[in-house]
Amino acid sequence: MLDTSAYERSLHLLQRAATPVGFTAAVHEHDNYKRVWTRDGVITSLAALASQNPTLIQTAKATLQTLFDHQHPVGFMPSNVTPGTHAVSYGGTVGRADNPSWAVIGLLFYTLHTGDSELADQYHTQVQKCLAVLEAWEFNGKGLIYVPQSGDWADEYMQHGYILYDQLLRLWALELAAAYYRDEAYREKAQQIRSLLQVNFWYSERTSGLYAANLVHQMPMVQKPYWLLGFNPARIYPQFDLQANALALLLGWVRRSSG
């Protein structure tokens, strides 16, 4: 007999984290975690959608409304929103480079899962702003966003630059937006990013098409059987990033090049 006790405890935890304005990242007051966070809120909302629990799905909808209603005019998304006061933080020392992608992913997954297109249509302009600010964060117009140190979930790690995890989230968001809004420009951008990831984040003997000059002589030193964490103009990060590799392999967007 299948033991569902862990699953039931998980659902109970989601119910405890539910508030009228969305899921909070913690159920107890601890630092600033009892707030609606873009990253945590969207990931929790994906779990709520998978549960098929109507009450939790309604909280997922409230989460998305809270986040998009507090988008910065420039286009980036809140780090977190405080229930009750609606005070907004857009990040600490730096902003959150993964949040615009997570917001678009959450919104369009909610739409596809429920068939409720109200939010996707209501926040179409906000989605455009999310994807526009991500394009601005390329800084050089070549296709990959540059992530500052402490600029995503790994805010206590030392990496910065072209981080695979953030590129994959952007790719996911673009493909969802291209499909739902029937936008050919988003589809073409996603294809460009997919090609760049195949060339620059998996070891290959080829040297053409590499994003940064240092990759030409550094890539042979990191012959790893997995997708690389990332790189910047000075170095490659050869560490294994489980979350990024899970996104790349399980979702099947990025595949190993034959070159």
Side-chain angles (χ1 to χ4, degrees):
M1 182 176 178
L2 183 65
D3 183 0
T4 62
S5 58
Y7 176 73
E8 296 300 329
R9 288 197 301 271
S10 298
L11 288 183
H12 179 63
L13 182 59
L14 292 185
Q15 291 162 353
R16 292 177 62 199
T19 75
V21 295
F23 290 110
T24 57
V27 297
H28 300 294
E29 292 289 353
H30 179 71
D31 294 334
N32 59 354
Y33 291 112
K34 198 172 183 181
R35 299 178 184 177
V36 179
W37 295 67
T38 295
R39 185 186 311 115
D40 303 74
V42 168
I43 293 172
T44 305
S45 294
L46 295 179
L49 291 169
S51 77
Q52 301 186 46
N53 181 298
T55 302
L56 294 177
I57 291 174
Q58 188 61 36
T59 304
K61 182 176 183 178
T63 301
L64 295 166
Q65 290 173 306
T66 294
L67 296 173
F68 276 99
D69 284 347
H70 292 87
Q71 183 183 39
H72 190 278
V74 171
F76 47 85
M77 296 299 291
S79 174
N80 60 77
V81 180
T82 303
T85 67
H86 293 276
V88 187
S89 168
Y90 294 102
T93 306
V94 299
R96 301 291 176 248
D98 55 337
N99 278 355
S101 297
W102 274 125
V104 174
I105 291 165
L107 176 68
L108 297 181
F109 246 92
Y110 169 84
T111 302
L112 294 170
H113 183 87
T114 64
D116 177 6
S117 62
E118 176 189 2
L119 294 188
D121 295 340
Q122 176 184 346
Y123 294 122
H124 187 189
T125 298
Q126 286 85 343
V127 169
Q128 291 174 320
K129 286 185 175 182
C130 282
L131 298 176
V133 79
L134 288 167
E135 184 141 7
W137 288 342
E138 292 178 9
F139 297 110
N140 59 11
K142 293 184 177 181
L144 299 180
I145 59 173
Y146 196 99
V147 181
Q149 188 170 317
S150 187
D152 57 23
W153 73 271
D155 54 1
E156 295 186 1
Y157 292 84
M158 298 300 291
Q159 68 263 20
H160 64 92
Y162 302 105
I163 307 303
L164 178 61
Y165 157 82
D166 300 270
Q167 317 303 327
L168 286 168
L169 289 177
R170 183 189 182 197
L171 174 60
W172 189 3
L174 280 165
E175 292 190 338
L176 287 170
Y180 180 77
Y181 296 113
R182 295 181 172 85
D183 192 304
E184 184 64 17
Y186 291 157
R187 189 197 66 78
E188 291 176 357
K189 188 67 180 182
Q191 180 59 50
Q192 178 199 11
I193 294 170
R194 189 183 299 110
S195 298
L196 287 169
L197 299 186
Q198 290 174 333
V199 171
N200 290 280
F201 289 86
W202 189 284
Y203 169 75
S204 171
E205 294 181 357
R206 63 186 292 181
T207 58
S208 61
L210 293 177
Y211 205 79
N214 59 301
L215 297 183
V216 175
H217 64 270
Q218 291 180 352
M219 190 67 82
M221 296 184 285
V222 289
Q223 299 184 33
K224 304 294 185 181
Y226 51 77
W227 298 99
L228 299 174
L229 186 154
F231 62 91
N232 61 38
R235 60 166 296 185
I236 294 174
Y237 296 104
Q239 295 91 339
F240 178 75
D241 183 342
L242 176 60
Q243 187 167 208
N245 275 264
L247 283 172
L249 299 177
L250 293 178
L251 297 173
W253 298 318
V254 186
R255 302 187 185 279
R256 177 178 176 176
S257 297
S258 58

